[in-house]
Amino acid sequence: MAKKTRRDASRRQRPADETSSRLQPVPVNPLEAGDEPVSATPWRPTAWTWIAVAVVVAATCLRFWDLGGKSLWFDEALSIADSRSFQSGFGSGFHPPVFYYLLHAWLPFAESSDALVRLIAAVPGSLTVALVYVAGWRLFNERAGVLSAAVLALASLHVEYSQEVRMYALTALFVTVATVVLAELLRRWPLASTGAKWGLAVAYTAAAYLAIATHYLAVLPIAGQALALVICWRETREIVIRLAALQIPAVIGLATAVFALGYGRRIGVATDFLVNMGGVNQTIFSEPAARILAFPRDFFFQVLPGPSLKWLVIAWYRIPAVIGFDIVAAGAVYALSRASTSTRPNRWIVLLSALLPLPVLILMVGAEQLRFYISCAPMIALLVGAGLEAMPIKWLTALGLIIVLVPSSLASWWYFDPGMDKQPWRRVGTLVSEQCRDGDTILVNESHQTIAFKRYFIAKEGVDLEPYPEVGGVRITVDNMNKWFLPLVRTSRRVWFVRMAATASTSDPQGLGLSWLKENMKLQSRIKEPGYNGDVEVYLFER
């Protein structure tokens, strides 16, 4: 009977022992999972540490390079306009508020300079590369961190949105911060004090909510991490319970902040956007059958390699580069899933937070709008970098790194082409400013494009600048021609007509405004300024 009792006691103790052993990290430096060093030998930087420093410095230089060289396009100008006031239009009506509050605080110091105002993206973008190194190090080892940072450092999509006054770079930063904190939570859990465990759990929850409060789609990589913890329930049970308990005060705090800051109405606007399956310029979950049929192509040729190779769209070698990236990514997934040098929760966290959001986003927003995938870019970099490090044959690691980094470098080089703006509003605004004169009327075919145009247009006395009116998403119709358009141009001696060819059909579906000007006035000049997001045409009409 005594023997049976001792045997039962040992069985009851075994699960706890196994849990601790599974969460025990592989030592990658003299600091083990606890708060105290395992030996008196202080930690010293290795060769990989200095390589990581070089990677982060190079990534920072790349993201700060020619920061003010390209014109602000209308989404950036809209961000600036939306963040000036906490009242009308703040946050574009439905975007979450964190980015706009930060931009609102930064504008008094930076609004006069394109380069300075873009620091709100360049700084988070640079920090994200550094934190990807830390995340790879804490989840796996220092080599994995360095390789992951190198993949993200040259990722052309991340470089692009680290130079735009939009919320995407900041979202990626908060997702990466959450990943670093979660890695530290898993690493320290077996030996950490109760206070340290709760502190790390609170920090992870805060970082995750900040990411979602910067862009709603950040919920997808965070959900991937949550699912990974649930899948690894035996190893992470206590962590999941603590994080679940924190959701109650987190949701209460979030709701309090939303209504205290007066952001409740915009939550309603965002809800209407979801209920109506999109808005004027973006639909969600449209044509699901077509997107399901195109899913393999979109996943492997657009979305998975997109963060690294987006800017190879016009290069003849794009297809072999994409195929090479996909092969490396598949090998990385296989090697990482079988790696024995890290814990099971760590592997699942990277795999699910990198891959789970991609099919959801393809079905939700399609594969063309890669900016919606930017919060996944750090996780894809972690997946590729850690997977390459886990490959059993090291020459395969070197070959895979070359296959990924060389095309990524070329893609970033394409992005910095000095002759191409996303939208050429600086050139257009300067041209019209120099040539307009007293009595001229300037028509810009979208009100939000007027915001971008005004940034570079130097106002003159007697020059009337008017955007098209917005009436249910249609700017000029037969019904409003007599009410708005004709009274504005009937007495004008000269009319400048500025339009983006890509949006002309939306703003003037029947071409009524331009047709009237061509029939009733003399066309003096027509100039087309190229932009890779849309050419801008400038017409000058005289009586």
Coordinates of all heavy atoms in Angstrom, one line a residue, residues 63 125 128-129 132 147-162 168-169 171-173 175-176 179 217-218 220-221 303-310 325 350 353-355 357-358 361 370-385 404:
R63 N 16.3 53.3 -44.0 CA 15.0 53.9 -43.8 C 15.1 55.4 -43.6 O 14.0 56.1 -43.8 CB 14.4 53.2 -42.5 CG 13.8 51.9 -42.8 CD 13.9 50.9 -41.6 NE 13.3 49.6 -42.0 CZ 14.0 48.7 -42.7 NH1 15.2 48.9 -43.1 NH2 13.4 47.6 -43.0
G125 N 10.2 52.1 -37.7 CA 10.7 51.1 -38.7 C 12.1 50.6 -38.3 O 12.4 49.4 -38.4
T128 N 12.0 48.5 -35.2 CA 11.4 47.1 -35.4 C 12.5 46.2 -35.8 O 12.5 45.0 -35.4 CB 10.3 47.2 -36.5 OG1 9.3 48.1 -36.0 CG2 9.7 45.9 -36.7
V129 N 13.4 46.6 -36.7 CA 14.5 45.7 -37.1 C 15.3 45.3 -35.9 O 15.7 44.1 -35.7 CB 15.4 46.4 -38.1 CG1 16.6 45.5 -38.5 CG2 14.6 46.7 -39.4
V132 N 13.3 42.8 -33.8 CA 13.2 41.5 -34.4 C 14.5 40.6 -34.1 O 14.4 39.4 -33.8 CB 13.0 41.6 -36.0 CG1 13.4 40.3 -36.7 CG2 11.6 42.0 -36.3
L147 N 19.8 36.7 -38.4 CA 19.3 36.4 -39.7 C 17.9 37.0 -39.9 O 17.6 37.5 -41.0 CB 19.3 34.8 -39.9 CG 20.6 34.1 -39.9 CD1 20.4 32.6 -40.1 CD2 21.6 34.7 -40.8
S148 N 17.1 36.9 -38.9 CA 15.7 37.5 -39.0 C 15.8 39.0 -39.2 O 15.1 39.6 -40.0 CB 14.9 37.2 -37.7 OG 14.8 35.8 -37.5
A149 N 16.7 39.7 -38.5 CA 16.9 41.1 -38.6 C 17.4 41.5 -40.0 O 16.9 42.5 -40.6 CB 17.8 41.7 -37.5
A150 N 18.2 40.7 -40.6 CA 18.8 40.9 -41.9 C 17.7 40.8 -42.9 O 17.6 41.6 -43.9 CB 19.9 40.0 -42.2
V151 N 16.8 39.8 -42.8 CA 15.6 39.6 -43.7 C 14.7 40.9 -43.7 O 14.3 41.4 -44.7 CB 14.9 38.4 -43.4 CG1 13.6 38.3 -44.2 CG2 15.7 37.1 -43.6
L152 N 14.4 41.3 -42.5 CA 13.5 42.5 -42.4 C 14.2 43.8 -42.8 O 13.6 44.7 -43.4 CB 13.0 42.7 -40.9 CG 11.9 43.7 -40.7 CD1 10.7 43.4 -41.5 CD2 11.6 43.9 -39.3
A153 N 15.5 43.9 -42.5 CA 16.3 45.1 -42.8 C 16.2 45.5 -44.3 O 16.1 46.6 -44.7 CB 17.7 45.0 -42.4
L154 N 16.2 44.4 -45.2 CA 16.1 44.7 -46.6 C 14.7 44.5 -47.2 O 14.6 44.5 -48.5 CB 17.1 43.7 -47.3 CG 18.6 44.0 -47.0 CD1 19.5 43.0 -47.6 CD2 19.0 45.4 -47.4
A155 N 13.7 44.2 -46.4 CA 12.4 43.9 -46.9 C 11.8 45.2 -47.5 O 11.6 46.2 -46.8 CB 11.5 43.4 -45.8
S156 N 11.6 45.3 -48.8 CA 11.3 46.5 -49.5 C 9.9 47.1 -49.1 O 9.8 48.3 -49.0 CB 11.3 46.3 -51.0 OG 10.3 45.4 -51.4
L157 N 9.0 46.2 -48.7 CA 7.7 46.7 -48.3 C 7.8 47.5 -46.9 O 7.3 48.5 -46.7 CB 6.7 45.6 -48.1 CG 5.3 46.0 -47.7 CD1 4.5 46.7 -48.8 CD2 4.5 44.8 -47.2
H158 N 8.7 46.9 -46.0 CA 8.9 47.5 -44.7 C 9.7 48.8 -44.9 O 9.4 49.8 -44.2 CB 9.6 46.6 -43.8 CG 9.6 47.0 -42.4 ND1 10.7 47.6 -41.8 CD2 8.6 47.0 -41.4 CE1 10.4 48.0 -40.5 NE2 9.1 47.6 -40.3
V159 N 10.6 48.8 -45.8 CA 11.4 50.1 -46.1 C 10.4 51.2 -46.6 O 10.5 52.3 -46.1 CB 12.5 49.8 -47.1 CG1 13.1 51.1 -47.6 CG2 13.6 48.9 -46.6
E160 N 9.5 50.8 -47.5 CA 8.6 51.8 -48.1 C 7.7 52.4 -47.0 O 7.6 53.6 -46.9 CB 7.7 51.1 -49.1 CG 6.6 52.0 -49.6 CD 5.6 51.2 -50.5 OE1 5.9 50.0 -50.8 OE2 4.6 51.8 -51.0
Y161 N 7.1 51.6 -46.1 CA 6.2 52.1 -45.1 C 6.9 52.6 -43.9 O 6.2 53.2 -43.0 CB 5.1 51.0 -44.8 CG 4.1 51.0 -45.9 CD1 4.2 50.0 -46.9 CD2 3.1 51.9 -46.0 CE1 3.3 49.9 -47.9 CE2 2.2 51.9 -47.1 CZ 2.3 50.9 -48.0 OH 1.4 50.9 -49.0
S162 N 8.2 52.5 -43.8 CA 9.0 53.2 -42.8 C 9.3 54.6 -43.3 O 10.0 55.4 -42.6 CB 10.3 52.4 -42.5 OG 10.1 51.2 -41.9
Y168 N 1.3 52.2 -40.4 CA 1.7 50.8 -40.6 C 3.1 50.4 -40.0 O 3.2 49.4 -39.4 CB 1.8 50.5 -42.1 CG 0.5 50.8 -42.8 CD1 0.3 51.8 -43.7 CD2 -0.6 50.0 -42.6 CE1 -0.9 52.1 -44.3 CE2 -1.9 50.3 -43.2 CZ -2.0 51.3 -44.1 OH -3.2 51.6 -44.7
A169 N 4.1 51.3 -40.0 CA 5.3 51.0 -39.4 C 5.2 51.0 -37.9 O 5.8 50.1 -37.2 CB 6.4 52.1 -39.8
T171 N 2.5 50.1 -36.3 CA 1.8 48.8 -36.0 C 2.7 47.7 -35.9 O 2.7 46.9 -35.0 CB 0.7 48.6 -37.0 OG1 -0.2 49.7 -37.2 CG2 -0.1 47.3 -36.7
A172 N 3.6 47.6 -36.9 CA 4.6 46.5 -36.9 C 5.5 46.6 -35.7 O 5.9 45.5 -35.2 CB 5.4 46.6 -38.2
L173 N 5.8 47.8 -35.3 CA 6.7 47.9 -34.1 C 6.0 47.4 -32.8 O 6.6 46.6 -32.1 CB 7.0 49.4 -33.9 CG 7.8 49.7 -32.5 CD1 9.1 49.0 -32.5 CD2 7.9 51.2 -32.3
V175 N 3.6 45.1 -32.7 CA 3.5 43.7 -32.8 C 4.8 43.0 -32.4 O 4.8 42.0 -31.7 CB 3.1 43.3 -34.2 CG1 3.2 41.8 -34.4 CG2 1.6 43.7 -34.5
T176 N 5.9 43.6 -32.8 CA 7.2 43.1 -32.5 C 7.5 43.2 -31.0 O 8.1 42.4 -30.4 CB 8.3 43.8 -33.3 OG1 7.9 43.8 -34.7 CG2 9.6 43.1 -33.2
T179 N 5.8 40.5 -29.3 CA 6.5 39.3 -29.5 C 7.8 39.2 -28.6 O 8.0 38.1 -28.0 CB 7.0 39.1 -31.0 OG1 5.8 39.3 -31.8 CG2 7.6 37.8 -31.3
L217 N -6.1 45.5 -38.0 CA -5.6 44.2 -38.5 C -4.5 43.6 -37.8 O -4.1 42.5 -38.0 CB -5.3 44.4 -40.0 CG -6.5 44.7 -40.9 CD1 -6.0 44.8 -42.4 CD2 -7.5 43.6 -40.8
A218 N -3.9 44.4 -36.8 CA -2.8 43.8 -36.0 C -3.4 42.7 -35.1 O -2.6 41.9 -34.5 CB -2.2 44.9 -35.1
L220 N -4.6 40.1 -36.1 CA -4.4 38.8 -36.7 C -3.1 38.1 -36.2 O -3.1 37.0 -35.8 CB -4.5 38.9 -38.2 CG -5.8 39.3 -38.7 CD1 -5.8 39.5 -40.2 CD2 -6.9 38.3 -38.4
P221 N -1.9 38.8 -36.3 CA -0.7 38.2 -35.7 C -0.8 37.9 -34.2 O -0.3 36.9 -33.7 CB 0.4 39.1 -36.1 CG -0.2 40.4 -36.5 CD -1.6 40.1 -37.0
V303 N 1.6 37.4 -51.6 CA 1.5 37.8 -50.2 C 2.8 37.3 -49.4 O 3.4 38.0 -48.7 CB 0.2 37.2 -49.6 CG1 0.3 37.3 -48.1 CG2 -0.9 38.0 -50.1
L304 N 3.1 36.0 -49.6 CA 4.3 35.5 -48.8 C 5.6 36.2 -49.1 O 6.3 36.6 -48.2 CB 4.4 34.0 -49.0 CG 5.5 33.3 -48.2 CD1 5.2 33.4 -46.7 CD2 5.5 31.8 -48.5
P305 N 5.9 36.3 -50.4 CA 7.2 37.1 -50.7 C 7.0 38.6 -50.7 O 8.0 39.3 -50.9 CB 7.5 36.6 -52.1 CG 6.2 36.2 -52.7 CD 5.3 35.8 -51.6
G306 N 5.7 39.1 -50.6 CA 5.5 40.5 -50.8 C 6.3 41.4 -49.9 O 6.8 42.4 -50.4
P307 N 6.4 41.2 -48.6 CA 7.1 42.1 -47.7 C 8.6 42.3 -48.2 O 9.1 43.4 -48.0 CB 7.1 41.4 -46.4 CG 5.8 40.6 -46.4 CD 5.7 40.1 -47.8
S308 N 9.2 41.2 -48.7 CA 10.6 41.4 -49.2 C 10.7 41.8 -50.6 O 11.6 42.6 -50.9 CB 11.3 40.0 -49.0 OG 11.5 39.7 -47.7
L309 N 9.8 41.4 -51.5 CA 10.1 41.5 -52.9 C 9.0 42.4 -53.6 O 8.9 42.4 -54.9 CB 10.1 40.2 -53.6 CG 11.1 39.1 -53.0 CD1 11.0 37.8 -53.8 CD2 12.5 39.7 -53.0
K310 N 8.2 43.2 -52.9 CA 7.2 44.0 -53.5 C 7.7 44.8 -54.7 O 7.0 44.8 -55.8 CB 6.5 44.9 -52.5 CG 5.4 45.8 -53.2 CD 5.0 46.9 -52.3 CE 4.2 47.9 -53.2 NZ 3.7 49.1 -52.4
F325 N 12.3 32.6 -53.3 CA 11.8 33.0 -51.9 C 10.9 32.0 -51.4 O 11.0 31.6 -50.2 CB 11.2 34.4 -51.9 CG 10.8 34.9 -50.6 CD1 11.7 35.8 -49.9 CD2 9.7 34.5 -49.9 CE1 11.4 36.2 -48.6 CE2 9.3 35.0 -48.7 CZ 10.2 35.8 -48.0
V350 N 5.9 31.6 -33.7 CA 6.4 32.2 -34.9 C 5.7 31.7 -36.1 O 5.3 32.4 -37.0 CB 7.9 31.9 -35.0 CG1 8.5 32.4 -36.4 CG2 8.7 32.6 -33.9
S353 N 1.9 33.1 -36.0 CA 1.7 34.6 -36.1 C 2.2 35.1 -37.5 O 1.8 36.1 -37.9 CB 2.5 35.3 -35.0 OG 3.8 34.9 -35.0
A354 N 3.1 34.3 -38.2 CA 3.5 34.6 -39.5 C 2.6 34.2 -40.6 O 2.3 34.9 -41.6 CB 4.9 34.1 -39.7
L355 N 2.0 32.9 -40.4 CA 1.3 32.3 -41.5 C -0.2 32.4 -41.4 O -0.9 32.5 -42.4 CB 1.7 30.9 -41.6 CG 3.2 30.6 -42.0 CD1 3.4 29.1 -42.0 CD2 3.5 31.2 -43.3
P357 N -2.3 34.8 -40.4 CA -3.0 36.0 -40.9 C -3.1 36.1 -42.4 O -4.0 36.7 -42.9 CB -2.2 37.2 -40.4 CG -1.4 36.6 -39.2 CD -1.1 35.2 -39.6
L358 N -2.2 35.4 -43.1 CA -2.1 35.6 -44.6 C -3.4 35.1 -45.3 O -3.9 35.9 -46.1 CB -0.9 34.9 -45.1 CG 0.5 35.4 -44.5 CD1 1.6 34.7 -45.2 CD2 0.6 36.9 -44.5
L361 N -6.3 37.5 -44.5 CA -6.2 38.8 -45.2 C -6.5 38.7 -46.7 O -7.0 39.6 -47.3 CB -4.8 39.4 -45.0 CG -4.6 40.0 -43.6 CD1 -3.1 40.3 -43.3 CD2 -5.4 41.2 -43.3
L370 N -0.9 45.4 -50.3 CA 0.1 44.8 -49.4 C 0.3 45.5 -48.1 O 0.9 45.0 -47.2 CB 1.4 44.6 -50.2 CG 1.5 43.4 -51.2 CD1 2.8 43.4 -51.9 CD2 1.2 42.1 -50.5
R371 N -0.1 46.8 -48.1 CA 0.1 47.6 -46.9 C -0.6 46.9 -45.7 O -0.2 47.1 -44.5 CB -0.3 49.0 -47.1 CG -1.8 49.2 -47.3 CD -2.2 50.7 -47.5 NE -3.6 50.9 -47.6 CZ -4.3 50.9 -48.8 NH1 -3.6 50.5 -49.9 NH2 -5.6 51.1 -48.8
F372 N -1.7 46.2 -46.0 CA -2.5 45.6 -44.9 C -1.7 44.4 -44.3 O -2.1 43.9 -43.3 CB -3.8 45.1 -45.4 CG -4.7 46.3 -45.8 CD1 -5.3 46.3 -47.1 CD2 -4.9 47.4 -45.0 CE1 -6.1 47.4 -47.5 CE2 -5.7 48.4 -45.3 CZ -6.3 48.4 -46.6
Y373 N -0.6 44.0 -44.9 CA 0.1 42.8 -44.5 C 1.4 43.3 -43.7 O 2.2 42.4 -43.3 CB 0.5 42.0 -45.7 CG -0.6 41.3 -46.4 CD1 -1.3 42.0 -47.3 CD2 -1.0 40.0 -46.1 CE1 -2.4 41.5 -48.0 CE2 -2.1 39.4 -46.8 CZ -2.7 40.2 -47.8 OH -3.8 39.6 -48.4
I374 N 1.6 44.6 -43.5 CA 2.8 45.1 -42.9 C 3.0 44.6 -41.5 O 4.1 44.4 -41.0 CB 2.9 46.6 -43.0 CG1 4.3 47.1 -42.7 CG2 1.9 47.2 -42.0 CD1 5.3 46.8 -43.8
S375 N 1.9 44.4 -40.7 CA 2.1 43.9 -39.3 C 2.6 42.5 -39.3 O 3.1 42.0 -38.3 CB 0.8 44.0 -38.6 OG -0.2 43.2 -39.2
C376 N 2.5 41.7 -40.4 CA 3.0 40.4 -40.5 C 4.5 40.3 -40.9 O 5.1 39.3 -40.8 CB 2.2 39.5 -41.5 SG 0.4 39.5 -41.1
A377 N 5.0 41.4 -41.5 CA 6.3 41.4 -42.0 C 7.4 41.0 -41.0 O 8.3 40.2 -41.3 CB 6.7 42.8 -42.6
P378 N 7.4 41.6 -39.7 CA 8.4 41.1 -38.8 C 8.3 39.6 -38.4 O 9.3 38.9 -38.2 CB 8.1 42.0 -37.5 CG 7.3 43.1 -38.0 CD 6.5 42.6 -39.2
M379 N 7.0 39.1 -38.4 CA 6.9 37.7 -38.1 C 7.3 36.8 -39.3 O 7.9 35.7 -39.0 CB 5.4 37.4 -37.8 CG 4.8 38.3 -36.7 SD 5.8 38.5 -35.3 CE 6.0 36.8 -34.7
I380 N 7.1 37.2 -40.5 CA 7.6 36.5 -41.7 C 9.1 36.5 -41.7 O 9.8 35.5 -41.9 CB 7.1 37.0 -43.0 CG1 5.5 36.8 -43.1 CG2 7.7 36.4 -44.2 CD1 4.9 37.4 -44.3
A381 N 9.7 37.6 -41.3 CA 11.2 37.7 -41.2 C 11.7 36.8 -40.1 O 12.7 36.1 -40.3 CB 11.6 39.1 -40.9
L382 N 11.0 36.7 -39.0 CA 11.4 35.7 -37.9 C 11.3 34.3 -38.4 O 12.1 33.5 -38.1 CB 10.5 35.9 -36.7 CG 10.9 37.0 -35.7 CD1 9.8 37.2 -34.6 CD2 12.2 36.5 -35.0
L383 N 10.2 34.0 -39.1 CA 10.0 32.7 -39.6 C 11.2 32.3 -40.6 O 11.8 31.2 -40.4 CB 8.7 32.6 -40.4 CG 8.4 31.3 -41.2 CD1 8.3 30.1 -40.3 CD2 7.1 31.5 -42.0
V384 N 11.5 33.1 -41.5 CA 12.5 32.8 -42.5 C 13.9 32.8 -41.8 O 14.7 31.8 -42.0 CB 12.5 33.9 -43.6 CG1 13.7 33.7 -44.6 CG2 11.2 33.8 -44.4
G385 N 14.2 33.8 -41.0 CA 15.5 33.8 -40.3 C 15.7 32.6 -39.4 O 16.8 32.0 -39.4
V404 N 17.3 35.0 -50.6 CA 16.4 36.0 -50.0 C 16.9 37.4 -50.1 O 16.2 38.3 -50.5 CB 16.0 35.6 -48.6 CG1 15.2 36.7 -47.9 CG2 15.2 34.3 -48.5

